[in-house]
Amino acid sequence: MMIKEQSNPWCIVQDVMDAAREGFYESLFSLGNGYMGVRGFHEDDCHKLPHERSQFIAGIFDAIDSGVTDMVNTPHYLHTTFTVDGEPFDPHEGKILDYKSVLNMKEGTLTRTILWENNQGQITKIEKERFMSLHQLHLACLRYTLTPMNYSGELMIETGIDGHVRNNPIHDDQMKANNKTVKLLEEVDVTGGVRNGYMEMVTKTRQDAIAESYVVKPLIPEEDIVENTKIQRDAYVCSRFMIRACQDRPYTFEKYISIFTSRDQVEGLKDTTLRLSEEASHIGYSALHHDHAQAWAKKWQIADIEISGNHRIQQAIRYNIFQLIQTNAEHDHRVSIGARGIMHGRYKGCYFWDTEIFMLPFFLYTNPEAAKNLLLYRYYTLEGARDNAKALNLKGVKYPWMSSADGREQCESWDTGSCEIHINGDIPYAIHHYYQVTGDVDFILDYGAEIYIETARYWSSRFSYDKGQDIYNMLFVKGPNEYGGVTLNNTYTTFMARHNLELAIEGIALLKEHQRWHDLAEKLDFDHKELDRWQDIRDKAVIHYDEGRQLYIEDQHFFDLEPVSLDDFKDGETPLYQKICFDRLQRYRVLKQADVIQLMTLLPKAFTQAEKMAAWHTYEPITLHDSTLSYGTHALFAATLGLDEAAWDYFEKSVVLDMEDVMHNTDTEGIHFASLGISWQAIIFGFAGVVVEEDGLSMYPRMPQQWDKIQFKIIYRKNLMDVTIMGNAAEVTLCEESQTEHIDMKIWHQVLSLEKGKSKQVNKTAAQINNQQQLG
Amino acid sequence: MMIKEQSNPWCIVQDVMDAAREGFYESLFSLGNGYMGVRGFHEDDCHKLPHERSQFIAGIFDAIDSGVTDMVNTPHYLHTTFTVDGEPFDPHEGKILDYKSVLNMKEGTLTRTILWENNQGQITKIEKERFMSLHQLHLACLRYTLTPMNYSGELMIETGIDGHVRNNPIHDDQMKANNKTVKLLEEVDVTGGVRNGYMEMVTKTRQDAIAESYVVKPLIPEEDIVENTKIQRDAYVCSRFMIRACQDRPYTFEKYISIFTSRDQVEGLKDTTLRLSEEASHIGYSALHHDHAQAWAKKWQIADIEISGNHRIQQAIRYNIFQLIQTNAEHDHRVSIGARGIMHGRYKGCYFWDTEIFMLPFFLYTNPEAAKNLLLYRYYTLEGARDNAKALNLKGVKYPWMSSADGREQCESWDTGSCEIHINGDIPYAIHHYYQVTGDVDFILDYGAEIYIETARYWSSRFSYDKGQDIYNMLFVKGPNEYGGVTLNNTYTTFMARHNLELAIEGIALLKEHQRWHDLAEKLDFDHKELDRWQDIRDKAVIHYDEGRQLYIEDQHFFDLEPVSLDDFKDGETPLYQKICFDRLQRYRVLKQADVIQLMTLLPKAFTQAEKMAAWHTYEPITLHDSTLSYGTHALFAATLGLDEAAWDYFEKSVVLDMEDVMHNTDTEGIHFASLGISWQAIIFGFAGVVVEEDGLSMYPRMPQQWDKIQFKIIYRKNLMDVTIMGNAAEVTLCEESQTEHIDMKIWHQVLSLEKGKSKQVNKTAAQINNQQQLG
């Protein structure tokens, strides 16, 4: 499926309506502002089922089973229908004569124009535009215009809030289908203010109250409105306009929707909600849209990556960045980012390691406060994670494989939920990354160190000591490669656990240095013998390594698995697990994604170039990339190894993954946010070669030959760096907004001394170019 | 919890009513006749919830989820209530002045007498007796008598069928609770025949129709009946009698209930059902009871085990046998026996390896036709088992860990359902056992060989070949010890798989010998190369064996597990998994039950005495017996090893397991049928030392010193053998009913030539006695 290239790289355009592809476009055209998200369904499509019109609010989860939550589908505030001389609009009846949807990523709007001929031959033009304000997060706006093209007649428009919504909780086991829907909204209360033109609905889940209010402003001459009614019935409020419509005249209404929930802790939930929609209606659509676009401009100013020489990739990168920004509640540390954001109910809206390992870096380098906020979510869910560890009869905290509001495990598949434990090392890793990039020592002292210590305690109790051999085994563990079975000594997990233990040891040193250790040690009831055991495990944890081949082996039983030829299995990009069950796959020597390669991208300094090449040659040929986390990781790794062709091929698949529906599941699965994030990483850490470590910022750009020029900004320790790379030349500016006056930066091993407000250029040396060509 | 010893070893008596123990007694006093089962709840206890009054019918399952079924709780045909001067009977109000429940196992009846004083001081004696006819399987009878002890007044009795029933599907993961109930009866149709005094209810699940009809016969003088009403309303039919009751006069009614379902394939379901209840009412309670008791007498004639010198154990053995007979639908090959029979909804009524390995031997030696019928169930579910294999991308058939109507996998826990695969070897093992005992070659030719071959095909595709080492590994497998993780080369499973492969090879030889191979080979599309692979796997499958210690090791990673002291954990007989989660348990070197010991009881000839002792000394000390399958297996194994004291201790726990609620869960879990069966095996194969092999029947009795004498019958190749053992002497009679005129039998290695109708005696030699004492 290819999206036609359009002249404007800020826009994605759909110009044919195809029922079979509607699900895909619904995912693709999702809009959000971090507070709330809405899929790109047509507000006026009467065929959508109550669970198919998904409108989510970050952090609104409700129990669907004992201990299991689902992200709640909220009342449909975009709901709109119309009739022409009594015949209702139905996009699947009559004829669509012309169709265009445009997602404008620069301004965050979705506009659609449909030319529809009904069965009576009456042609109506439908123009609609929606946005979720990035300026005022509780506000969504819709502008809707009908124009009779070849008739005059009676138009009836209904627009309101439809509370008849349902959830369709999808089991996290990818093999289990669920066609059952559930009603999570227990109580619906509707009110309407006839005089002021507003309608309001308050719904309650077991846990939260959700208030949605709207005001409709018809931009229609009074004399054309035959009737203006407000309808209030069970779980449904709407405004109805009967219009005496004349040919060629446009009839427009604007709808200002405001949304608050009990989680927002505002005083007077109903009134607050109502007030905002009323205020918005007074401000008006254009002004609100202006504010919204300004907010987006501010985001793009730092987050944009400009590429010359490849329009499609330019568009795709922007799509990735656009969606990442859209789905992140940057000021609410009680939520993180779901694997499918707030744009799809898949995985019950839960948060995975996807956030910390795949998405966080984008925020970390372009919006560090947002990154901090994401990490704070993990701090504020320590209590739930502590309960998880207890439930597993282990010490410390165990971050859940799937997390929702409170950090308690939401994963219902035993082998994944109990055995895929590496997330407990991934989160400390991400905290350390944050610390390296921001230098925010207070964060470590206030939050990070406690997480380091509590996760270290978990690992300490999770390893099994073998007295006879004086080694520590990690038994019954599953790595990121989910095609691997429950096995022993998974290399990825053990490395991350060791790294975690080291961070905990360093964290204690840092606390001591700042006279903070005493208090925390007391709070955590710390026994200094714990430290001895951590050091012992760090030194004696089993890692399978083949010295002859300089090869890190995925786990203890990797070479017991049946070798197979991928050609016997792989059928395009469709994941193999749709053809072969996980139980069977685990005995084949094939990878869903490559653990060891993943590991080497995270801890690049821990491995030699030879070890990296050995891993590449061993694992890459048997990796199926049936995880959307895989392509980007391989692109990044290949780029750092100088494998230009492979890097480009993998990058291309990763960066257009959702935009071009590479996995054929963007419709049913929603947008793969981790893939968006890892594509960004492949550019910045892979092609641009940005590396941040204790000793500073460095870059080793390896520009794909497909690009003429790439330009981006990153924030490092409150300094804003503007980077331009053109082939073997790079230019860096320490922008005016930076905190420091000058900073050193290593590019291609050459140290640049940067001064605020000034640019510096550097060229790759001939020797370096040579060397890379040999590698490639 | 001890049941008081009573003078009659055929009866179990409860003489105190204790609300906290009611659940236990409900399980204990379950009645059934193979066709239907009913828990021992009080028919007149108004506090029972709709899902707590469990009445099941063998084979009536209905879908509760996609592909998942539950055994259906059927309308309550015992439902009865009464009032005294308008005050309803409530066992938890007023006072219970006297109470007695008697389960008469000889006659299969449950009788109860309650002396109840209501809040007005009126004392009523309630006498009730129920049975499920073993003579006419579709018939249940209830006799109910009320006697006003200190008053004359108005009694109102209601008795009928209450269709307001629900199911409470319990997740098979022992850690997941479910408090939700579901309604599986979709449609209820009630009719009453006022003139004939019958009432009838037909209910429908998605799959089956269930018809229940009853006739009430009041044995009350006409003039005392003020009113006789029939009530028909939504899902409820009943007969109401208003009685002008006089002090000291008993008022009795008899209720004849008949039950048929669409599975019975009778013509005219409603009429058939009605006719039987009417016929029964004409025959009358006493005559029906007589027929029922006669049917039981016939069963006991062969199945009873008489023990002198230990009243409690005598009672317990009978209880085990009684329940096994009660729960087996001996003529319906479309069903097997659930882990909790048709007496409890635990495990959704599903059939496990419990049937073939633990229960089948009892039937095999006392009712071979019933055993054949149980095995036929597996033949007729081959299609479902074939689908299971396909779903796992494997060849042949995979019998489900949990089976209901059609043989499709019902287990919802991944690690158990997918990994605990030994059942596929257990079933062929049981078929071979059946063949050895009965000599029924036709069964192998018609059914058994096909099962051997199809399961062998499964194993052939389930092993992973390691070319480098020229070995076959069984990867990601879980043995019967469910505290073990998903591991490699589980010894139990590999042995049973190899045995299965051998049976398949032998089966083919047998088919060839009888000119039946050609047809089956064609039907199964057999490739002779398959045979080569089977032989190769048999020879090269990895088994972990320590030559120095002559020790078979449970699996590849057994010695990687953390050794612990059982004393740190074990708290009485409460299963450890209630305190420590399975995920944690799997890393401890503790066993729920001992795989290798289990294996050695099944294939005793495959191991030397030294190997058995090594296994005992290694595994027994770390076995927690948190499976009810464990005690009896250990008793049997210890007995064959001459470890008299251990044998007795384990046997004692096993044989009274439910009768004395050893595991403290007979209330919530129901009766543990596998434990009943293995207790029987511990006596017959353990203490009596019966062994059947290709070359005939032999016995090596090792009488517990706690017994003076034991007498039992077994059927071997259509010969009925009556065996008496007294200490070191044994007497065997080849009974008149036997097919052959004479037969040889080895007892204590001495060959006895038996002639029909005659007894022979033999004594253990002094050397053998000596030898055993040394062993002990």
Side-chain angles (χ1 to χ4, degrees), chain B residues 332-344:
Chain B
D332 187 353
H333 59 64
R334 294 169 303 165
V335 298
S336 182
I337 307 178
R340 301 298 180 258
I342 40 176
M343 312 307 198
H344 197 284

Side-chain angles (χ1 to χ4, degrees), chain A residues 172-461:
Chain A
D172 49 76
D173 178 340
Q174 285 170 309
M175 306 305 290
K176 283 191 185 167
N178 178 23
N179 302 317
K180 279 190 205 158
T181 62
V182 294
K183 192 169 163 289
L184 294 180
L185 303 178
E186 297 205 316
E187 226 181 277
V188 183
D189 168 24
V190 300
T191 44
V194 176
R195 193 175 47 82
N196 301 312
Y198 77 88
M199 300 293 282
E200 191 160 39
M201 180 179 295
V202 179
T203 57
K204 285 200 177 76
T205 69
R206 253 158 288 187
Q207 218 161 319
D208 301 295
I210 303 162
E212 298 180 354
S213 171
Y214 75 85
V215 171
V216 174
K217 204 196 274 178
L219 307 180
I220 302 166
E222 284 270 336
E223 63 274 19
D224 290 350
I225 302 181
V226 180
E227 195 187 313
N228 175 349
T229 327
K230 304 244 170 298
I231 297 164
Q232 260 173 271
R233 55 171 191 260
D234 173 45
Y236 186 80
V237 289
C238 87
S239 310
R240 180 191 288 168
F241 301 94
M242 299 280 278
I243 300 161
R244 201 180 295 109
C246 300
Q247 187 172 330
D248 293 329
R249 196 178 291 169
Y251 297 92
T252 299
F253 73 83
E254 291 165 354
K255 185 174 178 183
Y256 306 93
I257 305 140
S258 118
I259 298 144
F260 285 86
T261 77
S262 50
R263 284 184 77 255
D264 299 319
Q265 297 170 320
V266 291
E267 204 151 317
L269 180 63
K270 277 183 74 164
D271 289 348
T272 304
T273 310
L274 174 59
R275 210 177 312 126
L276 177 60
S277 58
E278 284 185 326
E279 275 171 24
S281 77
H282 296 142
I283 297 169
Y285 189 90
S286 300
L288 293 168
H289 182 268
H290 175 79
D291 292 344
H292 168 65
Q294 281 298 102
W296 267 110
K298 252 181 148 170
K299 291 284 176 207
W300 284 117
Q301 207 184 345
I302 294 177
D304 191 26
I305 298 178
E306 278 183 85
I307 286 175
S308 310
N310 198 323
H311 181 90
R312 171 177 168 240
I313 299 298
Q314 171 68 79
Q315 196 184 32
I317 286 168
R318 288 208 170 119
Y319 184 73
N320 289 10
I321 294 169
F322 176 70
Q323 287 295 3
L324 281 166
I325 292 174
Q326 279 210 120
T327 211
N328 178 41
E330 66 177 313
H331 304 299
D332 187 351
H333 58 67
R334 294 168 302 164
V335 300
S336 181
I337 308 179
R340 302 297 179 260
I342 41 177
M343 311 306 197
H344 197 283
R346 186 73 175 110
Y347 299 115
K348 299 173 291 194
C350 284
Y351 318 135
F352 293 71
W353 70 314
D354 299 39
T355 307
E356 282 77 8
I357 297 298
F358 297 90
M359 303 176 217
L360 185 92
F362 163 72
F363 296 103
L364 182 47
Y365 288 83
T366 62
N367 186 354
E369 276 302 308
K372 178 179 172 181
N373 192 58
L374 286 169
L375 294 173
L376 277 175
Y377 164 78
R378 297 297 187 176
Y379 183 78
Y380 288 108
T381 53
L382 267 175
E383 208 42 49
R386 201 164 277 131
D387 287 348
N388 296 334
K390 249 182 236 150
L392 293 163
N393 302 96
L394 292 171
K395 301 266 192 288
V397 305
K398 164 67 176 72
Y399 281 106
W401 180 244
M402 294 172 65
S403 194
S404 64
D406 64 4
R408 282 179 182 80
E409 184 59 79
Q410 294 297 322
C411 180
E412 297 177 86
S413 312
W414 175 83
D415 57 326
T416 307
S418 292
C419 307
E420 199 166 339
I421 53 181
H422 57 80
I423 186 169
N424 233 35
D426 300 332
I427 290 169
Y429 172 89
I431 292 171
H432 181 60
H433 194 183
Y434 169 82
Y435 177 47
Q436 284 181 312
V437 176
T438 61
D440 182 357
V441 68
D442 286 339
F443 186 86
I444 302 300
L445 298 175
D446 294 341
Y447 312 109
E450 185 171 342
I451 293 178
Y452 290 162
I453 291 165
E454 287 288 68
T455 46
R457 283 175 154 178
Y458 165 84
W459 293 117
S460 179
S461 65

Side-chain angles (χ1 to χ4, degrees), chain B residues 333-336 356 371-386 397 399 403 405-407 427-428 431 442-455 516 520 523-524:
Chain B
H333 59 64
R334 294 169 303 165
V335 298
S336 182
E356 281 78 8
K372 178 179 173 179
N373 192 58
L374 286 169
L375 295 172
L376 277 175
Y377 164 80
R378 296 297 187 176
Y379 183 79
Y380 288 107
T381 53
L382 266 174
E383 209 41 50
R386 201 164 276 129
V397 306
Y399 281 106
S403 194
D406 64 5
I427 290 169
I431 292 171
D442 286 339
F443 186 86
I444 303 300
L445 298 174
D446 294 341
Y447 312 108
E450 186 171 340
I451 293 176
Y452 290 164
I453 291 165
E454 287 288 68
T455 45
R516 296 281 297 273
L520 188 61
K523 175 182 168 189
L524 299 180

Side-chain angles (χ1 to χ4, degrees), chain A residues 130-190:
Chain A
R130 62 168 84 154
F131 66 88
M132 328 285 283
S133 175
L134 199 64
H135 175 72
Q136 166 48 274
L137 302 180
H138 298 272
L139 190 66
C141 296
L142 171 70
R143 190 171 56 195
Y144 197 98
T145 304
L146 295 176
T147 311
M149 302 302 285
N150 63 350
Y151 66 92
S152 292
E154 192 184 71
L155 287 176
M156 186 186 83
I157 300 172
E158 269 194 33
T159 190
I161 304 175
D162 185 355
H164 294 285
V165 296
R166 294 182 76 84
N167 263 46
N168 173 224
I170 307 170
H171 200 282
D172 49 76
D173 178 340
Q174 285 170 309
M175 306 305 290
K176 283 191 185 167
N178 178 23
N179 302 317
K180 279 190 205 158
T181 62
V182 294
K183 192 169 163 289
L184 294 180
L185 303 178
E186 297 205 316
E187 226 181 277
V188 183
D189 168 24
V190 300

Side-chain angles (χ1 to χ4, degrees), chain A residues 64-65 176 180 391-394 412 414-415 418-419 461-466 473 475-476 485-488 556-557 559-562 579-581 583-584 586-587, chain B residues 64-65 176 180 391-394 412 414-415 418-419 461-466 473 475-476 485-488 556-557 559-562 579-581 583-584 586-587:
Chain A
I64 50 168
D65 210 340
K176 283 191 185 167
K180 279 190 205 158
L392 293 163
N393 302 96
L394 292 171
E412 297 177 86
W414 175 83
D415 57 326
S418 292
C419 307
S461 65
R462 182 59 178 76
F463 276 97
S464 298
Y465 182 57
D466 179 334
N473 283 303
L475 306 178
F476 308 119
V486 174
T487 176
L488 269 64
Q556 191 154 329
H557 293 301
F559 286 112
D560 292 331
L561 304 178
E562 304 163 38
K579 226 169 73 179
I580 303 180
C581 72
D583 179 75
R584 184 72 193 90
Q586 68 184 346
R587 296 192 299 281
Chain B
I64 48 168
D65 210 340
K176 283 191 185 169
K180 280 190 204 156
L392 293 164
N393 303 95
L394 292 171
E412 296 176 85
W414 174 83
D415 58 326
S418 292
C419 306
S461 65
R462 183 60 178 74
F463 275 98
S464 298
Y465 182 55
D466 180 333
N473 282 306
L475 307 178
F476 308 118
V486 173
T487 176
L488 270 64
Q556 192 154 326
H557 293 302
F559 285 113
D560 293 332
L561 303 178
E562 303 162 37
K579 226 169 73 180
I580 303 181
C581 73
D583 179 75
R584 185 69 193 93
Q586 67 184 347
R587 296 192 298 280

Side-chain angles (χ1 to χ4, degrees), chain B residues 736-766:
Chain B
E736 289 290 355
E737 298 87 334
S738 299
Q739 191 184 39
T740 53
E741 293 301 315
H742 44 78
I743 193 168
D744 283 350
M745 186 169 170
K746 225 186 285 173
I747 303 182
W748 287 310
H749 302 312
Q750 302 159 64
V751 178
L752 287 196
S753 264
L754 298 172
E755 272 174 71
K756 180 137 86 177
K758 292 199 180 144
S759 306
K760 282 239 169 140
Q761 270 219 1
V762 66
N763 287 297
K764 211 171 182 177
T765 65

